[in-house]
């Protein structure tokens, strides 16, 4: 009996090392794929995946204190518009635009976070839903800032001094490095004291409060970090796509981030990466059949929620446990 | 000027009634199942299609079309409760995310089946009543009378029948209701089925006014959301007051300041209410 448990322990451990190795290799292969194929279309998809990873990572940080934000797309929008205005109106360099986008979104989150985060659960979801609509309506109302419903085109490409990243192949390294940096940042947060406070608040806010954690401040911090990351994604997006319209930041954008987060794994570090990797390429490959793809999204969301509430990331663990039980 | 005020008040009450039909099913579903149902608007859309095919295509009488939408939605709602929402009982957040998935599925299945082009539903009546300058289109009068009949029947069902009492008991306290013999296993599917059926009838009634397409569910869902936030999630009297309030605010603000200002004012009000009184005007204290 003892021997058999020891054996399954060994197989499980090796399963894990093999699994992790395979996951790392798959990520590397995915990252290098466009470089090897050299196709601009593949570069485009890879860039969109990186942008989705960054934004969804931000949503994941907010989810770490147990809150689901339906205005994440609006924060991506705030970042995109801030950077666009900095670069196009004030003629600042691209980097300044990105920094401004992160600072402004974090400030907005800090300002509204206090009263907003007193609400929890479905009430928080409802107010963030209303905020996302409000953002879109206000942007449509002020065409001087946003270009109104016709949007703003010809946003300058990302550049560092004389190095202009105006092609997909040259923008991709920037997008990839940014995604890696954001994942690393969130990993750091997870390992720090702050990360432990986040999960304490997520698990039981009353208990967290009674053990001396400043729950309001902890939630605010997660909201500020998550929204700042969204702003970063927005700035990159603005200078990559070169076109912004209030309709880009429709409620559906927020929903797509939620789908990626839930499908990948709500609280797992690699959840957003897995979710974005699987769900972003679909619209590009299924161009002609948007509605089939949306049906697939809906089914995936419900199936994952019912059978794998911790997302696809928890699948190997589930399989290992099933195997161990036999 | 006073004409303008009275006209906009009348319009406001009409709008309010339409919103109420939508919001009451939404709030009932939340009260019973604790699910914020993002797919509520899709039941409205399906009801509009059902009425279109029954009335405009098959040539059945209008009341039969509405009854068909009602029956179809009851069956569909009960099935969906079993298949989609059952695993998420007691988990508000997951239930809500699942309803987002459900909305995507229903809307895009409709898109596959019926195509994106809006269909126009013929009106039942044409012309308008004119009372000393206050204009009331007859098609709207029909919708209002229909809504009032449905709301009256629903009110009677909820307040004076055994099943209605069971549903209300469930809204107040699930465990105690179950202990007193309310059959939760029947009431959950019934709750979603009724919510879906109310939305589908709203869709069937409003199809002649707002057209029929896979995307028509978005706006009514948004209005139901706003009404329910203002009135309190799960509170039916709250929904009544809030939908009238919303109708009046929208029509007066858009008469005097324009439609987009009306939208912004409404959303600002929603956010203010959520911050000051998250449980809404008449909701129970929680959260």
């Amino acid at each position: 009996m003892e021997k058999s448990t020891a054996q399954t322990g060994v197989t499980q451990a090796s399963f894990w090392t093999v699994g992790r190795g395979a996951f790392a290799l798959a990520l590397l292969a995915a990252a290098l794929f466009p470089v090897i194929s050299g196709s601009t279309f593949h570069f485009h998809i890879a860039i969109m995946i990186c942008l989705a990873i960054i934004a969804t990572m931000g949503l994941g940080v907010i989810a770490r204190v147990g809150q689901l934000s339906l205005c994440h797309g609006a924060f991506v929008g705030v970042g995109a518009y801030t950077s666009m205005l900095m670069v196009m109106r004030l003629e600042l360099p691209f980097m300044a635009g990105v920094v401004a986008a992160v600072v402004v979104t974090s400030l907005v989150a800090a300002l509204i976070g206090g009263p907003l985060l007193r609400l929890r659960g479905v009430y928080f979801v409802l107010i963030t839903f209303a905020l996302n609509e409000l953002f879109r309506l206000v942007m449509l109302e002020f065409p001087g800032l946003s270009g109104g419903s016709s949007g703003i085109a010809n946003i300058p490409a990302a550049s560092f001094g004389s190095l202009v990243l105006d092609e997909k192949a040259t923008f991709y390294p920037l997008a990839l490095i940014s995604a890696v940096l954001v994942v690393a940042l969130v990993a750091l947060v997870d390992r720090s004291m702050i990360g432990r406070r986040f999960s304490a608040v997520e698990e039981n806010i009353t208990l967290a409060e009674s053990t001396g954690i400043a729950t309001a401040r902890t939630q605010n911090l997660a909201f500020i970090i998550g929204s700042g990351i969204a702003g970063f994604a927005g700035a990159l997006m603005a200078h990559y796509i070169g076109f912004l319209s209030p309709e880009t930041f429709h409620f559906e954008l927020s929903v797509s981030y939620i789908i990626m987060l839930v499908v990948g794994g709500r609280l797992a570090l690699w959840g957003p990466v897995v979710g974005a990797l699987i769900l972003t390429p679909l619209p590009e490959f299924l161009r002609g059949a948007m509605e089939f793809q949306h049906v697939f999204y809906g089914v995936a969301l419900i199936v994952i929620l019912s059978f794998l509430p911790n997302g696809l990331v928890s699948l190997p663990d589930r399989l290992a446990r099933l195997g161990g039980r036999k | 000027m006073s004409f303008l005020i009275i006209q906009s008040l009348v319009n406001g009450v009409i709008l309010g009634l339409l919103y109420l039909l939508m919001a009451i099913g939404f709030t009932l579903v939340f009260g019973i199942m604790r699910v914020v149902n993002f797919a509520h608007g899709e039941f409205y859309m399906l009801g509009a299609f059902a009425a279109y095919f029954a009335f405009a295509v098959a040539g059945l009488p209008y009341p039969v079309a509405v009854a068909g939408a009602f029956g179809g939605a009851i069956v569909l709602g009960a099935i969906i409760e079993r298949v989609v929402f059952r695993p998420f009982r007691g988990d508000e957040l997951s239930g809500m995310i699942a309803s987002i998935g459900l909305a995507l599925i229903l809307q895009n299945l409709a898109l596959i089946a019926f195509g994106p082009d809006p269909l126009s539903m013929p009106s039942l009546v044409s012309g308008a009543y004119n009372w000393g300058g206050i204009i009331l289109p007859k098609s709207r009068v029909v919708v209002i009378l229909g809504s009032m009949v449905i709301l009256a029947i629903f009110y009677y069902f909820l307040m004076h029948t055994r099943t209605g009492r069971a549903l209300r008991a469930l809204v107040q306290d699930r465990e105690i209701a179950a202990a007193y013999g309310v059959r939760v296993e029947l009431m959950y599917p019934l709750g979603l089925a009724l919510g879906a059926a109310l939305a589908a009838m709203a869709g069937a009634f409003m199809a002649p006014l707002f057209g029929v397409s896979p995307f028509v569910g978005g706006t009514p869902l948004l209005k139901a959301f706003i009404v329910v936030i203002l009135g309190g999630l799960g509170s039916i009297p709250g929904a009544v007051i809030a939908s009238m309030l919303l109708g009046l605010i929208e029509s007066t603000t858009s008469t005097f300041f324009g439609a987009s200002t009306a939208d912004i004012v409404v959303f600002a009000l929603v956010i203010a209410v959520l911050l000051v009184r998250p449980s809404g005007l008449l909701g129970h204290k929680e959260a």
Side-chain angles (χ1 to χ4, degrees):
Chain A
M1 192 65 200
E2 253 171 52
K3 203 180 168 188
S4 76
T5 33
Q7 260 176 354
T8 44
V10 169
T11 44
Q12 262 189 23
S14 58
F15 182 88
W16 268 116
T17 1
V18 173
R20 279 188 193 179
F23 181 62
L25 271 180
L27 278 186
L28 193 67
L32 287 178
F33 186 72
V35 181
I36 295 164
S37 86
S39 136
T40 20
F41 177 56
H42 292 160
F43 270 116
H44 171 69
I45 293 174
I47 291 167
M48 294 314 280
I49 292 175
C50 290
L51 295 179
I53 289 176
I54 298 171
T56 313
M57 277 320 270
L59 189 64
V61 172
I62 303 171
R64 276 167 174 69
V65 290
Q67 298 279 39
L68 191 73
S69 165
L70 257 179
C71 64
H72 206 62
F75 275 104
V76 173
V78 172
Y81 278 111
T82 308
S83 183
M84 179 275 291
L85 289 173
M86 289 292 158
V87 174
M88 289 180 83
R89 293 282 165 81
L90 304 180
E91 300 187 344
L92 290 173
F94 163 72
M95 271 312 284
V98 173
V99 171
V102 175
V103 170
V104 169
T105 41
S106 305
L107 276 178
V108 172
L111 272 177
I112 65 175
L116 217 58
L117 288 153
R118 280 188 303 150
L119 305 171
R120 286 189 66 84
V122 291
Y123 290 93
F124 182 77
V125 181
L126 289 174
I127 197 168
T128 50
F129 172 80
L131 274 174
N132 202 112
E133 274 302 299
L134 190 65
F135 170 76
R136 196 173 60 88
L137 292 171
V138 169
M139 285 326 252
L140 285 170
E141 268 303 273
F142 294 97
L145 273 178
S146 67
S149 49
S150 50
I152 284 185
N154 299 325
I155 301 167
S159 62
F160 299 92
S162 60
L163 178 68
V164 183
L165 310 177
D166 55 354
E167 281 188 27
K168 294 186 169 36
T170 50
F171 188 82
Y172 179 54
L174 174 67
L176 186 63
I177 293 169
S178 306
V180 171
L181 284 179
V182 167
V183 174
L185 172 76
V186 176
L188 270 178
V189 170
D190 274 351
R191 277 160 195 239
S192 69
M193 198 57 201
I194 301 169
R196 259 167 273 160
R197 276 195 211 125
F198 284 175
S199 45
V201 170
E202 194 262 335
E203 250 166 53
N204 188 334
I205 191 165
T206 325
L207 186 64
E209 178 100 49
S210 66
T211 54
I213 294 173
T215 52
R217 232 190 299 153
T218 307
Q219 289 199 82
N220 276 352
L221 187 62
F223 193 56
I224 292 168
I225 297 175
S227 302
I229 294 175
F232 180 52
L236 290 177
M237 195 196 258
H239 296 281
Y240 171 63
I241 299 175
F243 173 76
L244 284 181
S245 135
E247 297 304 329
T248 315
F249 308 103
H250 196 259
F251 157 69
E252 280 167 21
L253 185 68
S254 301
V255 169
S256 73
Y257 293 138
I258 287 182
I259 296 177
M260 286 187 236
L261 185 69
V262 171
V263 168
R266 248 183 277 188
L267 302 174
L269 176 65
W270 295 103
V273 179
V274 172
L277 261 174
I278 292 176
L279 295 174
T280 320
L282 274 175
E284 309 293 339
F285 286 115
L286 296 175
R287 278 255 156 129
M290 281 291 273
E291 47 274 21
F292 286 99
Q293 163 218 330
H294 280 130
V295 172
F296 173 78
Y297 278 3
V299 173
L301 194 62
I302 293 172
V303 169
I304 296 271
L305 269 175
S306 318
F307 300 106
L308 271 179
N310 295 322
L312 282 178
V313 168
S314 66
L315 188 62
D317 203 19
R318 266 288 183 89
L319 291 179
R321 229 181 288 161
L322 279 179
R325 220 178 275 161
K326 278 177 192 166
Chain B
M1 191 66 190
S2 66
F3 272 135
L4 215 52
I5 292 173
I6 295 171
Q7 176 79 56
S8 69
L9 289 181
V10 169
N11 290 349
V13 172
I14 296 174
L15 272 180
L17 263 173
L18 300 185
Y19 295 159
L20 179 58
L21 201 54
M22 214 33 215
I24 213 157
F26 187 87
T27 206
L28 183 75
V29 168
F30 183 82
I32 293 167
M33 301 175 56
R34 314 296 294 175
V35 167
V36 173
N37 186 10
F38 275 83
H40 198 66
E42 307 316 325
F43 291 117
Y44 169 96
M45 178 269 294
L46 291 176
F49 269 108
Y52 174 81
F53 284 113
F55 177 69
V57 179
L60 295 169
Y62 195 66
V64 176
V66 175
F70 176 83
I74 287 272
V75 174
L76 186 66
I79 294 173
I80 283 176
E81 197 280 335
R82 268 212 92 93
V83 178
V84 178
F85 290 112
R86 185 147 294 189
F88 310 117
R89 286 196 187 156
D91 184 353
E92 289 178 15
L93 215 53
S94 294
M96 187 181 60
I97 302 172
S99 80
I100 295 178
L102 180 64
L104 274 174
I105 296 172
L106 292 178
Q107 187 184 83
N108 288 285
L109 283 181
L111 203 55
I112 293 167
F114 310 126
D117 301 323
L119 304 163
S120 79
M121 177 105 165
S123 294
L124 295 169
V125 285
S126 57
Y129 295 108
N130 186 337
W131 288 312
I134 293 160
I135 293 159
L136 207 57
K138 284 183 185 170
S139 56
R140 295 220 162 191
V141 175
V142 171
V143 172
I144 292 159
L145 290 179
S147 311
M148 281 162 116
V149 169
I150 289 174
L151 288 172
I153 295 173
F154 180 71
Y155 179 83
Y156 178 81
F157 165 76
L158 210 56
M159 298 318 251
H160 299 290
T161 66
R162 208 178 147 75
T163 320
R165 267 195 296 274
L167 284 174
R168 279 188 292 133
L170 211 53
V171 172
Q172 281 185 2
D173 192 310
R174 187 195 320 171
E175 279 176 25
I176 292 178
Y180 273 81
V182 171
R183 296 175 67 184
V184 178
E185 285 312 309
L186 282 179
M187 291 304 148
Y188 268 68
L190 182 65
L192 189 71
L194 276 178
L198 283 166
M201 282 196 290
F205 270 120
M206 289 173 228
L209 298 187
F210 301 114
V212 182
S213 94
F215 307 110
V216 287
T219 314
L221 174 71
L222 197 60
K223 303 299 180 193
F225 249 72
I226 295 169
V227 165
V228 164
I229 293 172
L230 292 179
L233 272 171
S235 160
I236 290 173
V240 177
I241 295 173
S243 49
M244 288 303 149
L245 195 66
L246 177 65
L248 289 172
I249 291 174
E250 276 192 355
S251 73
T252 46
T253 324
S254 62
T255 306
F256 297 107
F257 302 100
S260 52
T261 315
D263 283 342
I264 293 181
V265 167
V266 166
F267 274 107
L269 181 70
V270 163
I271 289 165
V273 167
L274 270 176
L275 291 178
V276 179
R277 235 189 108 81
S279 52
L281 299 174
L282 293 180
H284 298 288
K285 280 235 169 75
E286 57 175 340

